[in-house]
């Protein structure tokens, strides 16, 4: 897209000034024009010098010098070129606005429903969000009315403040209102959900009403689904009537008739109520104004001379109605009767509760020999059998009997549960024992609850939780002695596993027989040499022989295990000789590699082949 040095449209010229500041980009364009002149002058100078070049090398040197000076000139204006490139890219994204076509302009406060209305009547997809200034630039869409194409422009929201305080977004709307010949739709949010009251919106209307001169103006009251126009307060209604009066004045200034229905319209973009009426009214008023302007122009006489409207005159007073054949009339009558009689599936759905309640009968269109067969129950097949063949016809009676029997069992169990032992049937000694049992039971329950809520309920008690040192080996010995068990081995085992005794070496075990609990008498006078021979190492226990059977291996005795080990070794022997990795190794090695046994033999030894 070439950069527009001169813009013919006044609207486009002012829009460029608002977006990019006319002084800035004109200054950059001036620098580019100066650089163009300098480059042209350098080219002329060096073309003259080329006439005096006495060799090809001298001419090429002049050419390189000319290009170097031109590049230096371009480098000096590189910031201006970068700025102009940014403007060019931004202008390429701007919408194409035709100032001469039929245009509908939408304006108003932010968040009053302008973009929603544009999305409804055009194919544009403008972002709609529940906060202000969602639309930050001009958006263009197109709609049709009476086979004519209309241009619809959605403008950003405008705030009621002085002209100097308005930002670039608001100035885009002001520029479009000032320069485009369009029908203006001023949107008014009567519900106040946009965040601005009707009084503020009316103040904005009066502050920019000078931009509405000589343009069809319609005040659109939006969001009537939240607040109907009739439900407004007297003060708000007064502001609305003032805006309506100003709109009527613009109509009278154009020489039209003051019609209340065309000046003040209501609609709701949420429910689509009145959306098409607003669009049709705006298009109709704009079309009438453009026709009147053309009729008042000087070119109209040249156009009227080309037209001739022919109106046929009747020959006589005899009526000649259209002739329709009787067969066609009968066919139309039949179609109308069928339409009146036949009920569609949609009609049946509305009569029987609507969607989600009504279930369509898919069997009524079946083509069967007998119409009654349509409602027959379809057989349900399970594992190759018809389920209906196994249904007991007396199943309901049997179910009642089962429920009655179950009720009797529940009554009997309830009577047993209600039984509670009291102390009237017991002797005094039995009553004391019962009281002692109940007291002991309550103590156990309370102790269990206390343990459950603390860390004492864990099987291994860390030292930080055993601060009172209740869980000691002495206590364990006392409790085991009270039960009649010798606690010496348990205490020794606990002490050997103690973590606190650091530096203590592990004791040597004398064999697996001792660990398994078998009796083994050791003579106290046995020498240290014999102890060394009975144990290979002080650091580990005696190894288990290969034939010993451990639980879970699946052998009944050691002989069977040794036999199984022997068979396994024999089966692996062939595989090991073939250098196989395992049973699944099926690789076939290449006995004669091609790179060693093919091709010409070169000069030299051939022993390796």
């Amino acid at each position: 897209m070439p950069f527009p040095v001169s813009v013919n449209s006044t609207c486009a010229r002012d829009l460029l000034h608002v977006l990019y500041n006319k002084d800035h980009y004109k200054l950059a364009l001036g620098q580019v024009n100066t650089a163009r002149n300098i480059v042209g002058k350098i080219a002329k100078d060096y073309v003259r010098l080329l006439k005096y070049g006495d060799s090809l090398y001298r001419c090429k040197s002049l050419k390189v010098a000319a290009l170097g000076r031109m590049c230096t000139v371009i480098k000096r204006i590189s910031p201006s070129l970068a700025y102009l490139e940014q403007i060019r890219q931004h202008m390429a994204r701007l919408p194409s606005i035709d100032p001469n076509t039929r245009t509908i302009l939408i304006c108003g406060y932010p968040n009053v429903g302008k973009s929603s209305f544009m999305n409804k009547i055009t194919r544009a997809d403008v972002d709609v969000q529940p906060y202000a200034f969602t639309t930050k630039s001009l958006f263009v869409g197109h709609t049709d009315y009476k086979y004519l194409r209309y241009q619809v422009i959605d403008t950003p929201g405008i705030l009621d403040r002085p002209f100097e305080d308005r930002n670039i977004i608001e100035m885009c709307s002001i520029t479009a209102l000032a320069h485009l010949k369009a029908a203006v739709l001023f949107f008014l949010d009567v519900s106040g959900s946009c965040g601005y009251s009707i009084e503020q919106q009316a103040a904005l209307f009066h502050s920019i009403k000078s931009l509405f001169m000589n343009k069809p103006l319609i005040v659109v009251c939006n969001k009537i689904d939240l607040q109907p126009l009739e439900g407004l307060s007297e003060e708000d209604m007064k502001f609305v009537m003032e805006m309506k009066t100003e709109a009527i004045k613009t109509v009278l200034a154009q020489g039209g008739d003051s019609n209340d229905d065309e000046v003040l319209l209501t609609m709701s973009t949420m429910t689509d109520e009145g959306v098409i009426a607003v669009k049709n009214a705006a298009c109709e008023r704009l079309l009438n104004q453009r026709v009147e302007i053309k009729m008042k122009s000087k070119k109209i006489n040249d156009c009227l001379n080309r037209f001739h409207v022919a109106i046929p005159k009747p020959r006589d007073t005899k009526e000649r109605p259209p002739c329709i054949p009787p067969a066609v009339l009968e066919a139309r009558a039949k179609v109308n009767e069928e339409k009146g009689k036949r009920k569609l599936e949609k009609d049946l759905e509305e009569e029987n509760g609507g969607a989600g309640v009504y279930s369509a009968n898919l069997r009524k269109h079946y083509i069967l020999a007998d119409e009654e067969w349509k409602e027959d129950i379809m057989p349900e097949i399970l594992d190759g059998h018809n389920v209906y063949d196994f249904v007991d016809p007396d199943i309901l009676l049997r179910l009642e009997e089962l429920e009655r029997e179950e009720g009797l069992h529940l009554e009997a169990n309830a009577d047993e549960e209600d039984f509670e032992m009291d102390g009237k049937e017991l002797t005094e000694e039995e009553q004391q024992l019962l009281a002692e049992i109940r007291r002991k039971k309550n103590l156990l329950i309370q102790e269990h609850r206390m343990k459950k809520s603390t860390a004492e309920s864990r099987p291994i008690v860390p030292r930080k939780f055993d601060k009172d040192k209740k869980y000691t080996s002495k206590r364990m010995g006392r409790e085991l002695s009270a039960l009649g068990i010798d606690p010496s081995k348990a205490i020794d085992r606990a002490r050997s596993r103690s973590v606190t005794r650091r530096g203590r070496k592990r004791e040597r075990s004398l064999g697996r027989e001792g660990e398994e609990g078998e009796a083994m008498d050791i003579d106290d006078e046995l020498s240290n040499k014999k102890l060394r021979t009975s144990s290979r190492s002080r650091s580990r226990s005696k190894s288990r022989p290969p034939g010993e059977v451990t639980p879970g291996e699946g052998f009944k005795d050691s002989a069977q295990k040794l036999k199984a080990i022997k068979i396994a070794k024999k089966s692996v022997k062939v595989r090991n000789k073939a250098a196989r990795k395992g049973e699944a190794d099926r690789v076939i090695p290449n006995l004669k590699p091609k790179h060693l046994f093919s091709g010409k033999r070169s000069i030299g030894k051939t022993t390796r082949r």
Side-chain angles (χ1 to χ4, degrees), residues 143-150 279-281 283-284 287:
T143 186
D144 293 331
Y145 177 72
K146 288 186 178 181
Y147 305 104
L148 295 173
R149 180 61 56 90
Y150 285 79
K279 170 199 152 184
N280 293 343
C283 293
E284 187 67 32
L287 187 61

Side-chain angles (χ1 to χ4, degrees), residues 200-441:
Q200 292 175 313
Q201 298 178 60
L204 173 65
F205 178 85
H206 291 296
S207 64
I208 63 173
K209 66 181 179 181
S210 58
L211 302 174
F212 303 149
M213 297 302 295
N214 300 324
K215 295 174 186 174
L217 175 62
I218 298 176
V219 179
V220 182
C221 298
N222 193 18
K223 302 183 183 180
I224 59 171
D225 56 324
L226 300 177
Q227 173 64 55
L229 187 62
E230 296 79 12
L232 292 176
S233 62
E234 294 182 0
E235 187 178 357
D236 292 341
M237 200 66 185
K238 181 181 177 182
F239 292 122
V240 175
M241 289 298 111
E242 289 178 358
M243 288 188 282
K244 179 181 176 182
T245 305
E246 293 293 335
I248 292 173
K249 289 181 181 178
T250 59
V251 176
L252 295 176
Q254 297 173 11
D257 298 331
S258 61
N259 191 352
D260 296 349
D261 298 336
E262 296 180 358
V263 173
L264 183 65
L265 299 175
T266 59
M267 75 165 191
S268 172
T269 53
M270 181 65 69
T271 60
D272 292 348
E273 180 185 353
V275 172
I276 301 301
V278 171
K279 170 199 152 184
N280 293 343
C283 293
E284 187 67 32
R285 287 193 56 188
L286 180 62
L287 187 61
N288 293 338
Q289 187 201 35
R290 289 172 67 89
V291 170
E292 288 177 3
I293 293 173
K294 287 182 180 179
M295 291 294 291
K296 294 177 182 179
S297 64
K298 296 179 181 179
K299 296 181 181 179
I300 190 63
N301 295 327
D302 298 336
C303 295
L304 290 177
N305 293 334
R306 303 174 193 173
F307 296 114
H308 174 69
V309 181
I311 300 174
K313 295 181 180 179
R315 292 180 295 175
D316 48 25
T317 58
K318 185 178 180 179
E319 294 184 1
R320 293 178 176 84
C323 180
I324 302 175
V328 176
L329 294 174
E330 291 176 4
R332 287 182 181 177
K334 284 184 180 180
V335 172
N336 293 331
E337 288 178 3
E338 289 180 0
K339 285 184 179 178
K341 290 181 181 179
R342 183 183 176 190
K343 282 190 176 181
L344 301 177
E345 212 51 53
K346 188 176 181 181
D347 302 331
L348 294 174
E349 181 183 348
E350 292 177 355
E351 291 177 2
N352 295 299
V357 179
Y358 172 72
S359 179
N361 186 7
L362 303 178
R363 300 181 182 181
K364 63 183 178 181
H365 298 300
Y366 287 177
I367 302 173
L368 302 174
D370 191 354
E371 293 292 329
E372 295 181 356
W373 294 352
K374 293 182 179 180
E375 302 301 328
D376 290 351
I377 299 174
M378 299 289 288
E380 297 182 12
I381 306 301
L382 181 64
D383 297 334
H385 301 283
N386 190 353
V387 177
Y388 192 74
D389 295 339
F390 299 90
V391 175
D392 189 356
D394 301 330
I395 190 169
L396 295 176
L397 297 175
R398 298 180 186 277
L399 182 62
E400 290 180 0
E401 292 177 3
L402 286 173
E403 289 178 350
R404 198 179 305 113
E405 186 178 353
E406 186 179 3
L408 294 174
H409 281 299
L410 290 174
E411 290 178 2
N413 292 334
D415 295 340
E416 292 178 2
E417 290 176 359
D418 292 341
F419 174 76
E420 185 178 355
M421 182 181 290
D422 51 0
K424 297 179 181 178
E425 301 157 352
L426 303 176
T427 61
E428 292 184 1
E429 186 177 355
E430 290 175 344
Q431 288 179 1
Q432 291 177 0
L433 287 173
L434 180 63
E436 184 67 19
I437 289 170
R438 288 177 175 172
R439 186 181 66 79
K440 189 73 173 177
K441 183 179 178 181

Side-chain angles (χ1 to χ4, degrees), residues 14-283:
D14 285 358
L15 191 60
L16 290 178
H17 178 58
V18 168
L19 293 173
Y20 316 117
N21 196 341
K22 179 172 61 178
D23 298 334
H24 288 179
Y25 73 77
K26 278 197 172 184
L27 183 63
L29 287 174
Q31 291 179 356
V32 172
N33 190 29
T34 304
R36 181 177 64 88
N37 296 332
I38 293 173
V39 168
K41 188 177 179 182
I42 291 171
K44 287 179 182 179
D45 293 343
Y46 276 86
V47 166
R48 293 194 196 101
L49 291 175
L50 281 174
K51 297 176 183 179
Y52 303 101
D54 54 356
S55 65
L56 183 60
Y57 174 75
R58 191 68 59 86
C59 293
K60 286 184 177 180
S61 300
L62 290 171
K63 174 187 170 184
V64 171
L67 289 175
R69 289 186 61 186
M70 291 177 186
C71 292
T72 304
V73 172
I74 297 301
K75 282 182 180 179
R76 287 177 185 171
I77 62 167
S78 56
S80 300
L81 292 174
Y83 171 68
L84 292 175
E85 176 62 18
Q86 289 180 358
I87 293 178
R88 189 195 66 80
Q89 292 178 2
H90 190 272
M91 288 179 65
R93 296 191 295 268
L94 290 178
S96 178
I97 299 174
D98 187 358
N100 300 318
T101 189
R102 293 166 289 273
T103 307
I104 298 174
L105 200 63
I106 307 171
C107 65
Y109 255 94
N111 204 19
V112 294
K114 303 186 294 297
S115 300
S116 301
F117 175 73
M118 184 171 179
N119 290 340
K120 293 286 183 183
I121 66 171
T122 67
R123 296 184 64 184
D125 187 15
V126 185
D127 188 22
V128 178
Q129 298 294 340
Y131 50 79
F133 287 108
T134 309
T135 305
K136 297 181 181 178
S137 62
L138 299 178
F139 283 88
V140 178
H142 295 86
T143 186
D144 293 331
Y145 177 72
K146 288 186 178 181
Y147 305 104
L148 295 173
R149 180 61 56 90
Y150 285 79
Q151 179 180 251
V152 184
I153 300 178
D154 180 22
T155 62
I158 309 172
L159 299 178
D160 183 25
R161 52 186 177 182
F163 186 81
E164 297 80 10
D165 297 340
R166 290 195 170 103
N167 54 25
I168 296 175
I169 298 175
E170 296 174 84
M171 288 305 298
C172 290
S173 302
I174 298 296
T175 304
L177 281 170
H179 295 289
L180 291 178
K181 296 178 181 178
V184 180
L185 299 180
F186 185 84
F187 270 62
L188 183 70
D189 184 4
V190 294
S191 66
S193 59
C194 64
Y196 304 98
S197 63
I198 296 179
E199 183 180 0
Q200 292 175 313
Q201 298 178 60
L204 173 65
F205 178 85
H206 291 296
S207 64
I208 63 173
K209 66 181 179 181
S210 58
L211 302 174
F212 303 149
M213 297 302 295
N214 300 324
K215 295 174 186 174
L217 175 62
I218 298 176
V219 179
V220 182
C221 298
N222 193 18
K223 302 183 183 180
I224 59 171
D225 56 324
L226 300 177
Q227 173 64 55
L229 187 62
E230 296 79 12
L232 292 176
S233 62
E234 294 182 0
E235 187 178 357
D236 292 341
M237 200 66 185
K238 181 181 177 182
F239 292 122
V240 175
M241 289 298 111
E242 289 178 358
M243 288 188 282
K244 179 181 176 182
T245 305
E246 293 293 335
I248 292 173
K249 289 181 181 178
T250 59
V251 176
L252 295 176
Q254 297 173 11
D257 298 331
S258 61
N259 191 352
D260 296 349
D261 298 336
E262 296 180 358
V263 173
L264 183 65
L265 299 175
T266 59
M267 75 165 191
S268 172
T269 53
M270 181 65 69
T271 60
D272 292 348
E273 180 185 353
V275 172
I276 301 301
V278 171
K279 170 199 152 184
N280 293 343
C283 293

